[in-house]
Amino acid sequence: MTELFTRPGRTDVLRVGLTGGIASGKSTVSRRLVELGARVIDADALARALQEPGAAGYEGIVAHFGPRVLMGDDAALDRAALAAIVFADPSELEALNGIMHPLVRRESARLVEEVPPGGVVVHDIPLLVETGQHEGMDRVVVVEAPEEERVRRMVEDRGMDEQDARARIAAQATDEQRRAVATTVLENSGTVEQLVAQVDGWWRAEVA
């Protein structure tokens, strides 16, 4: 997916792109930013809503992937089956991104318009760098953690298979690619409290 994010015509809010590899600790950062007063727009949450039966993302996915990604009497999306397909085949991942990214961006732009002037909008986007959306941001905050620690978190905390965990990491941008566009890098190799302290320091320096 190479299409760049089209920034809405808001110049009276601070636009922050928040990203990081899977299991890097981005969700902890996002929660703290909400507590500090930011309006966080979670791309994954938007995607999940758009993948509910009857929603535009669901219809597009079923049209491309067929019944093999559905389960149950209500024909809900089988996210595990879909993940197994797309993380094993880059062309299928590209197809999924082509379906979902425009829909998520459209909904995100609508939510930005609801933020009052002077507000802080944080776009929590796992594929911020891969999709070029960092170019539409005033700040880019990247959360990093060592790869082996991320694998451990996915296996022990999320019950994922190690091979699947490593495949998901490989499908995303590298730390070097994210760091190259970052205005701030938060290092999450310590405690949650240490990560939150870094977020607070960033907020005082960039927002407060």
Side-chain angles (χ1 to χ4, degrees):
M1 188 68 179
T2 57
E3 175 191 356
L4 295 183
F5 180 72
T6 301
R7 181 172 180 170
R10 295 291 302 270
T11 58
D12 55 352
V13 297
L14 180 69
R15 299 282 297 282
V16 180
L18 172 64
T19 194
I22 185 171
S24 63
K26 184 168 56 61
S27 295
T28 298
V29 174
S30 181
R31 285 192 295 270
R32 182 55 180 164
L33 289 170
V34 169
E35 292 172 352
L36 290 169
R39 172 66 161 95
V40 174
I41 299 175
D42 185 332
D44 277 351
L46 294 182
R48 286 192 294 271
L50 288 162
Q51 290 171 356
E52 290 297 320
Y58 175 92
E59 299 297 339
I61 289 170
V62 174
H64 178 82
F65 293 94
R68 59 182 172 155
V69 296
L70 301 179
M71 63 179 181
D73 294 338
D74 59 353
L77 189 65
D78 187 338
R79 300 182 193 281
L82 180 61
I85 293 169
V86 301
F87 287 110
D89 185 340
S91 66
E92 293 286 47
L93 180 59
E94 183 75 8
L96 177 62
N97 289 341
I99 294 166
M100 293 305 304
H101 288 176
L103 297 173
V104 171
R105 293 176 190 187
R106 189 177 305 126
E107 179 62 10
S108 177
R110 185 187 68 79
L111 293 173
V112 168
E113 293 304 311
E114 297 178 354
V115 178
V120 178
V121 182
V122 175
H123 295 269
D124 183 340
I125 305 175
L127 301 182
L128 181 80
V129 176
E130 294 88 329
T131 57
Q133 295 180 75
H134 61 281
E135 297 191 5
M137 304 297 163
D138 300 309
R139 307 284 190 278
V140 175
V141 176
V142 171
V143 188
E144 284 190 3
E147 182 172 326
E148 291 307 312
E149 172 61 16
R150 293 164 58 199
V151 171
R152 184 199 65 77
R153 291 170 186 170
M154 284 186 276
V155 172
E156 295 182 8
D157 300 341
R158 305 184 187 185
M160 292 175 60
D161 176 79
E162 181 177 342
Q163 183 176 356
D164 185 26
R166 293 190 185 278
R168 296 197 182 205
I169 289 174
Q172 295 184 330
T174 65
D175 286 341
E176 292 74 19
Q177 288 170 323
R178 283 187 287 262
R179 203 177 298 130
V181 304
T183 56
T184 299
V185 176
L186 305 178
E187 175 56 46
N188 185 26
S189 57
T191 66
V192 170
E193 291 75 17
Q194 289 171 327
L195 179 59
V196 168
Q198 291 179 68
V199 178
D200 290 353
W202 175 86
W203 185 269
R204 287 192 299 270
E206 299 287 344
V207 180

